[in-house]
Amino acid sequence: MSTTTKLPELFGSMVFNEETMKERLSSASYKAWKTCVTDGTPLDISTANEIAEAMKQWAVEKGATHYTHWFQPMTGVTAEKHDSFIAPAGGGRIMMEFSGKELVRGESDASSFPSGGLRATFEARGYTAWDPTSFAFIKEGSLCIPTVFCSYSGEALDKKTPLLRSMDEVSRQAVRILRLFGDTETKRVITQVGPEQEYFLIDKKMYAQREDLRFCGRTLFGAKPPKGQELEDHYYGAIRPRVAAYMQDLDEELWKLGVLSKTKHNEVAPSQHEMAPIYTDANSACDQNQLVMEIMKKVADRHGLVCLLHEKPFAGVNGSGKHDNWSLSTDKGRNLFKPGSTPRQNAQFLLFLAAFVKGVDDYQDFLRATVAFPGNDHRLGAQEAPPAVLSIFLGDELTAVVESIIQGTEFQEAGKRTLKIGVDTLPAIPQDNTDRNRTSPMAFTGNKFEFRMLGASQSISGPNIALNTIVAEELEQFADELEPSQDFRGDLEKLIRRVFTEHQRIIFNGNGYDEAWIDEAERRGLSNLVSTADALPMYTSRKNMDLFIKHGIYTKEEIEARAEIHIENYSAVISIEAKTMIDMIRHQILPAVSKYADALCQRAYHKDAMHLPCQYETGTAARIAALTDTLMACCDKLERDLAAIPEETMDAMCYCHNVLIPDMADARKAADQLETLTDSEFWPFPVYSDLLFYV
Ligand code: ADP
Ligand code: MG
């Protein structure tokens, strides 16, 4: 793209979006699609056929040769199975074919995707079904059709189906609340999400030399470089040309796919960057974030770079997270978390706020579990990301409002007014408070909540399913209580006061990185699930299962399957890391340091023969020899322990956490000390200063 004037043309050019549909479909079919999206009515086959034909024509014009149902299995990445459009046309010729049936429903051999035991092996097929609320797009010559993925008996095998269910549920309950406030028009409330994505860029040649990066996405070894992020000179710093070229290319690719990539900047750690899109409905945001992660990696490859999305590629410098900005808006675009300017609007805002506060307090443990996986254990609570304790930051202004409601005292605004819910307006709540708290796991930022515990590599689906569902639950309780009320304003005021009083422990405006907060949180009775091994069992607690089953988000089997997949994944990841570590120690580090020690000994021998002092050589060789033996012993122990992982999945997870992780820490300590003593010519792979300060 040469000039920015072409941007409007470029934007969404690879998306079969609403405008394209309007252009290319008969008005009857366009309308049928539209009602399907707004009211959830099914598409009839003739409409599907027409859409499929138009989609195919459009895609072929754009150079596509294949189509694929594009779905999000429970692995957290996306899956695709490509079929070409070609069909024999007689006489050795072909034609391009794509029917409504192929658009709407596809079959897939589901047996290689994790199912957590949901699918018996004799019935290994699953099917994919078009999600007409998400636009089809072209990626690398294939028309990609966003789909849900289910087993034949109807269980969700993916991350999209429950997200759509949770969006419907929170909409249903929110509309009930809006009716209480006299809104008779809103048909649907839509979850809005803007995910900010952090990532690292490193040189491809260096990456290729590190087995740990290739197999695990993070370094398992590496002494601290002389310079890390101490100077804080990287954050928002000038973007270097190679990175700038990458970012421009990335933006263009994303714009073509209709992703509203908006902000880009350097992050705190060297080689770390961030991309933020403009928010959109949660379903599209989730699809698009999956695309963003994929495109980030692909574009990096073209630039001789590798994009790392692991939560902690390098020890000692900040890892990468994802901020999930979440809010609810009506189908007319009115944000329900925006404090209003009239008493009625602000009473409604306070009720939604109360639902959120109560929901996060009631389901802290579940929210924590949605961000629990091995990569994120390196970040949460490590002074670079929020602690493992959930709390909500409301800011001074809103906290003062909440406190006055709790205490029943009069709220003073500029010494003039007192606040009565439903009678007065709220004081101004700043929307962009630049010095706002960045250490909070869940921060109110004026008109949305920013859930900051997500890891960079994870799908945002799980956390948003949880937020939607817990808010739906609280709104349902409120609606059940208020709908029969004879004195709406009085009962509303009582409810809001009661909820804030009972759940004020979850509100915390202080420094979340402070150790004292953890003690304080414990006194408040907040849950502190330090690691993934502590958090994952929360998936299947009675209370949490009941919530999701009651709202029809997951069946009992679906939620158990998900827990099982996460638990198995934990052991799988830790085992791969352990095996990679053993391999690198045995085949790279031990031979290298032994060789170097030998070189030192030979030099010492020659010097000694010349009656020269050789303390440097002998002393260093002695230290290296001792550490070499230590490292070997650590490696042997790790190998023995690795062979003894228990069979049962929950036991295996706890064992990996309690036994293998400490083993790996011991081995790393010895290896990193060896790195600092070894001549760089002998060290077998690039070190931190090469990796972090090269691009
Ligand atoms: P930050 O200072 O954290 O970068 P921004 O205000 O730039 O905050 O917003 C970060 C993200 O939040 C962006 O993706 C933005 O589109 C999104 N966002 C803004 N408003 C809303 C909203 N009402 N609901 C959901 N996401 C939102
Ligand atoms: Mg942010």
Side-chain angles (χ1 to χ4, degrees):
M1 190 179 71
S2 48
T3 60
T4 43
T5 50
K6 284 196 186 149
L7 179 52
E9 238 169 87
L10 184 83
F11 188 83
S13 58
M14 290 303 193
V15 185
F16 194 72
N17 54 24
E18 182 157 0
E19 202 189 322
T20 315
M21 279 194 242
K22 209 167 181 173
E23 240 170 63
R24 290 177 175 250
L25 298 178
S26 68
S27 73
S29 290
Y30 171 74
K31 265 196 208 121
W33 167 77
K34 194 85 193 165
T35 29
C36 161
V37 172
T38 48
D39 304 353
T41 49
L43 278 182
D44 63 279
I45 188 68
S46 71
T47 310
N49 277 331
E50 193 192 317
I51 296 177
E53 181 58 29
M55 238 185 217
K56 182 204 71 190
Q57 265 181 25
W58 169 83
V60 169
E61 279 166 32
K62 299 261 177 197
T65 52
H66 288 68
Y67 70 91
T68 176
H69 280 198
W70 183 80
F71 55 100
Q72 299 167 29
M74 293 187 278
T75 48
V77 293
T78 52
E80 19 191 278
K81 170 178 166 258
H82 300 257
D83 284 304
S84 75
F85 290 122
I86 61 170
R93 295 155 59 86
I94 56 145
M95 54 186 203
M96 303 293 254
E97 219 175 58
F98 183 54
S99 70
K101 223 173 77 209
E102 288 162 317
L103 164 68
V104 170
R105 197 171 156 124
E107 281 193 42
S108 188
D109 177 4
S111 58
S112 307
F113 295 108
S115 71
L118 267 185
R119 221 174 334 85
T121 32
F122 62 84
E123 200 244 278
R125 282 186 315 177
Y127 70 89
T128 53
W130 183 34
D131 161 23
T133 60
S134 187
F135 300 128
F137 55 91
I138 298 172
K139 185 166 65 69
E140 303 193 330
S142 277
L143 171 68
C144 299
I145 301 150
T147 52
V148 296
F149 180 38
C150 297
S151 74
Y152 264 99
S153 38
E155 290 122 342
L157 294 174
D158 68 347
K159 289 185 175 269
K160 187 191 263 281
T161 310
L163 178 64
L164 292 170
R165 290 175 185 161
S166 73
M167 288 171 72
D168 280 346
E169 186 60 4
V170 73
S171 172
R172 223 157 53 83
Q173 302 304 339
V175 168
R176 284 178 70 192
I177 298 290
L178 294 181
R179 296 285 181 269
L180 290 171
F181 286 89
D183 173 341
T184 53
E185 292 196 330
T186 300
K187 277 203 208 149
R188 223 181 127 68
V189 165
I190 302 140
T191 313
Q192 305 291 339
V193 169
E196 302 164 58
Q197 176 75 50
E198 291 180 339
Y199 61 98
F200 277 89
L201 286 179
I202 62 166
D203 188 78
K204 196 155 113 184
K205 287 195 227 67
M206 305 240 179
Y207 170 87
Q209 295 171 53
R210 297 237 8 175
E211 209 174 288
D212 48 5
L213 284 174
R214 283 186 287 123
F215 292 160
C216 312
R218 75 176 182 103
T219 55
L220 301 171
F221 304 100
K224 255 187 122 150
K227 180 184 180 216
Q229 62 190 46
E230 300 84 354
L231 299 181
E232 303 197 335
D233 52 354
H234 189 70
Y235 192 49
Y236 279 62
I239 298 170
R240 292 191 219 190
R242 195 169 171 199
V243 174
Y246 167 81
M247 286 177 167
Q248 186 179 346
D249 205 359
L250 175 67
D251 271 347
E252 283 172 26
E253 290 298 326
L254 293 176
W255 288 334
K256 279 190 222 164
L257 290 168
V259 179
L260 288 152
S261 172
K262 171 90 174 154
T263 318
K264 50 187 179 188
H265 61 76
N266 287 349
E267 263 300 330
V268 176
S271 291
Q272 193 187 27
H273 313 281
E274 183 188 290
M275 191 287 287
I278 296 174
Y279 68 95
T280 177
D281 70 276
N283 183 29
S284 305
C286 183
D287 282 359
Q288 293 187 345
N289 184 252
Q290 294 297 137
L291 271 179
V292 164
M293 292 193 282
E294 184 185 329
I295 305 290
M296 277 182 164
K297 289 185 179 160
K298 276 191 187 143
V299 173
D301 192 62
R302 291 210 290 262
H303 289 254
L305 298 166
V306 172
C307 170
L308 301 177
L309 293 174
H310 193 282
E311 285 64 33
K312 194 72 177 177
F314 307 101
V317 295
N318 278 6
S320 300
K322 191 134 61 185
H323 291 173
D324 190 75
N325 293 274
W326 181 97
S327 70
L328 294 174
S329 85
T330 67
D331 42 18
K332 296 256 161 27
R334 193 156 53 83
N335 183 346
L336 299 176
F337 283 98
K338 195 176 154 135
S341 52
T342 67
R344 200 172 65 179
Q345 282 167 0
N346 84 50
Q348 185 188 297
F349 161 74
L350 287 171
L351 189 62
F352 277 98
L353 181 70
F356 192 90
V357 167
K358 179 171 183 316
V360 172
D361 190 26
D362 284 346
Y363 297 98
Q364 318 160 28
D365 55 347
F366 193 87
L367 283 168
R368 167 67 183 95
T370 65
V371 294
F373 55 101
N376 224 14
D377 277 3
H378 300 286
R379 289 177 64 243
L380 298 179
Q383 302 294 306
E384 57 168 65
V389 180
L390 246 304
S391 65
I392 299 176
F393 168 86
L394 287 183
D396 294 342
E397 296 79 8
L398 204 49
T399 302
V401 170
V402 168
E403 267 165 16
S404 88
I405 292 172
I406 291 171
Q407 278 148 25
T409 54
E410 293 177 340
F411 179 82
Q412 304 286 331
E413 191 202 6
K416 278 196 300 248
R417 260 184 340 94
T418 58
L419 176 88
K420 240 176 141 1
I421 297 169
V423 180
D424 296 321
T425 55
L426 285 183
I429 309 288
Q431 226 186 86
D432 192 26
N433 195 343
T434 33
D435 64 354
R436 70 184 184 223
N437 187 316
R438 294 195 172 269
T439 63
S440 173
M442 189 73 85
F444 181 71
T445 50
N447 61 359
K448 63 183 188 289
F449 283 92
E450 190 171 344
F451 188 16
R452 301 201 180 112
M453 292 171 91
L454 283 74
S457 70
Q458 82 175 107
S459 160
I460 61 170
S461 171
N464 285 302
I465 292 168
L467 288 173
N468 292 343
T469 309
I470 63 182
V471 172
E473 165 65 22
E474 308 306 346
L475 293 176
E476 180 178 45
Q477 287 182 19
F478 294 178
D480 286 349
E481 186 174 331
L482 293 172
E483 275 167 355
S485 166
Q486 300 300 314
D487 168 21
F488 178 63
R489 224 186 62 204
D491 288 341
L492 173 72
E493 186 153 359
K494 269 189 233 139
L495 186 155
I496 290 177
R497 182 167 176 199
R498 187 188 76 221
V499 169
F500 282 139
T501 307
E502 284 170 3
H503 298 280
Q504 59 180 314
R505 63 172 188 169
I506 198 77
I507 298 168
F508 175 64
N509 291 326
N511 180 2
Y513 295 0
D514 195 346
E515 297 227 347
W517 161 235
I518 302 302
D519 299 334
E520 161 76 17
E522 204 160 291
R523 278 195 296 279
R524 292 189 187 190
L526 299 179
S527 88
N528 182 13
L529 301 162
V530 179
S531 75
T532 297
D534 302 315
L536 286 183
M538 298 306 129
Y539 262 101
T540 45
S541 76
R542 182 84 255 163
K543 170 192 67 127
N544 293 334
M545 295 255 266
D546 285 351
L547 171 77
F548 288 92
I549 295 167
K550 172 185 164 197
H551 289 277
I553 311 302
Y554 296 119
T555 61
K556 180 169 177 288
E557 291 71 28
E558 284 171 349
I559 195 161
E560 281 170 349
R562 270 147 229 268
E564 190 63 19
I565 286 169
H566 288 299
I567 290 167
E568 279 176 10
N569 176 64
Y570 184 87
S571 307
V573 169
I574 304 298
S575 305
I576 291 169
E577 290 187 347
K579 284 181 207 158
T580 307
M581 199 165 212
I582 292 167
D583 201 54
M584 289 174 79
I585 292 173
R586 287 222 196 289
H587 297 121
Q588 297 189 290
I589 302 176
L590 288 175
V593 292
S594 164
K595 215 172 180 176
Y596 179 51
D598 181 54
L600 287 170
C601 291
Q602 287 193 41
R603 271 184 253 157
Y605 181 77
H606 291 136
K607 276 187 167 179
D608 193 51
M610 304 286 287
H611 304 292
L612 293 170
C614 52
Q615 266 174 26
Y616 160 65
E617 285 80 5
T618 53
T620 312
R623 286 172 71 192
I624 289 180
L627 279 166
T628 305
D629 285 356
T630 306
L631 180 59
M632 186 190 68
C634 290
C635 186
D636 288 347
K637 177 165 190 318
L638 178 59
E639 200 163 41
R640 275 196 310 274
D641 290 342
L642 184 62
I645 299 184
E647 285 274 318
E648 202 278 317
T649 52
M650 188 74 92
D651 295 344
M653 173 171 76
C654 295
Y655 177 88
C656 288
H657 179 257
N658 297 332
V659 179
L660 297 189
I661 288 182
D663 281 356
M664 287 167 68
D666 290 342
R668 178 174 185 149
K669 196 170 153 210
D672 289 357
Q673 280 175 320
L674 280 164
E675 184 199 308
T676 61
L677 291 172
T678 304
D679 181 344
S680 28
E681 307 239 319
F682 283 78
W683 197 251
F685 40 74
V687 298
Y688 272 24
S689 45
D690 304 324
L691 293 165
L692 285 166
F693 295 96
Y694 189 83
V695 173

